[in-house]
Each structure stands twice: as C-alpha cells, then as structure tokens.
Amino acid sequence: MQTVQAIVESLRRRGLKITPQRRAIVELLERDRSHPTAEAVYRRVAAAMPDVSRTTVYNTLRELVEVGALDPVDDRVEGGVRYDTNTDHHHHLSCIRCHALIDITRDFKGVALPAEDCRGYQMVKHQITFYGICPDCQKGPSGSVPPAS
C-alpha cells in the first residue's frame, strides 16, 4: 500500500477534504493486510470513532479504489467484496471455512484468455483465487477435507 501521506495527497488532488474519518480509514487500512470487507472496516473505525457513518466508510473505500490505493477482490466464499491494500499484481488463496484470504505472489506464466475468447474486451488485469481449507481450520473438530468434486 502507498503511504498514508501519498494517499492523502491523491485524495486532495481529487478535491476531497481529508477529514478525521477519512484519515482514520486510510490509517487502518495501512496496518491491515487481512483483505477486510467494507463492513469490517466500518466496525473497526466505529470502535474508535462512534460518529463515523457507513456511508463515509463505503464512499471512502470507493474513492481509494478510484485513486489506485486499494483493489477490490470478489469474495466468492462470503459474497460481496473485500479490499486489498496490495495493488501490485498477485493472486489469492482463500479458506472456505474461516474466510481467510492471503496473497500469493507467484506468477502463473501462460495463464491468459485467448483473443478469440475476449469477446471484444480489452484485458487490463487478471487475478486467480484458489480455494481450500487453511491449516488452522484443518486442526478443528471438522477438519477433514471434503472430497474433490
């Protein structure tokens, strides 16, 4: 993630005020590598700033995506979107039980959509997510891994 100051400058260039709520959201995300949902960000910021609104959090996340400080990650396990502070090209590994989502920096050479399958889209990026059961969840009472389907 960019530094807090760099993100603040990006927001200012867009004509946005740097309110205490916006700064708190940016600072929280700088420390958080868990790929939080908007609701998780809201709960964490609200714990310190009870007067922050969900609208402020959701709008700030959208603005951070627009300035390139965050990447949205589709969450197929819980549904919805999580936010990634690592905007460099990478992939993910997701636990289907506890919903942990971690970065994978390995490059999968040759993974591309052939031009005839692009249907006129201009490809700008791709992201692969692998799904499994993390080591912690495997240790739990129902830790056995379900058979592959």
Side-chain angles (χ1 to χ4, degrees):
M1 179 172 193
Q2 303 170 37
T3 66
V4 170
Q5 192 55 41
I7 295 168
V8 163
E9 290 307 315
S10 294
L11 294 171
R12 279 191 179 125
R13 280 193 297 275
R14 290 184 65 106
L16 299 170
K17 287 184 179 180
I18 306 307
T19 62
Q21 294 86 352
R22 273 199 182 106
R23 184 174 290 278
I25 293 164
V26 171
E27 289 173 352
L28 177 137
L29 290 168
E30 182 188 40
R31 297 183 308 271
D32 189 341
R33 301 290 184 247
S34 70
H35 305 80
T37 62
E39 188 61 24
V41 173
Y42 168 73
R43 284 192 313 268
R44 291 177 197 156
V45 173
M49 298 180 118
D51 60 334
V52 71
S53 72
R54 276 187 174 82
T55 300
T56 296
V57 171
Y58 280 71
N59 286 341
T60 300
L61 293 171
R62 179 183 43 76
E63 293 157 358
L64 292 170
V65 168
E66 289 172 2
V67 300
L70 285 179
D71 272 342
V73 177
D74 289 333
D75 186 349
R76 300 285 180 222
V77 176
E78 289 185 333
V81 175
R82 293 172 74 171
Y83 292 91
D84 195 344
T85 58
N86 177 359
T87 58
D88 295 334
H89 179 71
H90 66 283
H91 307 286
H92 293 100
L93 182 57
S94 178
C95 179
I96 62 173
R97 291 208 178 129
C98 71
H99 311 292
L101 185 67
I102 61 172
D103 293 343
I104 299 174
T105 57
R106 185 176 186 269
D107 186 20
F108 299 97
K109 296 192 184 321
V111 174
L113 192 59
E116 61 270 12
D117 292 335
C118 288
R119 299 184 179 148
Y121 280 70
Q122 179 183 1
M123 303 311 299
V124 293
K125 71 184 253 184
H126 71 276
Q127 186 179 89
I128 299 169
T129 301
F130 295 90
Y131 298 90
I133 300 172
C134 73
D136 288 340
C137 289
Q138 291 176 48
K139 294 175 191 171
S142 61
S144 62
V145 178
S149 50

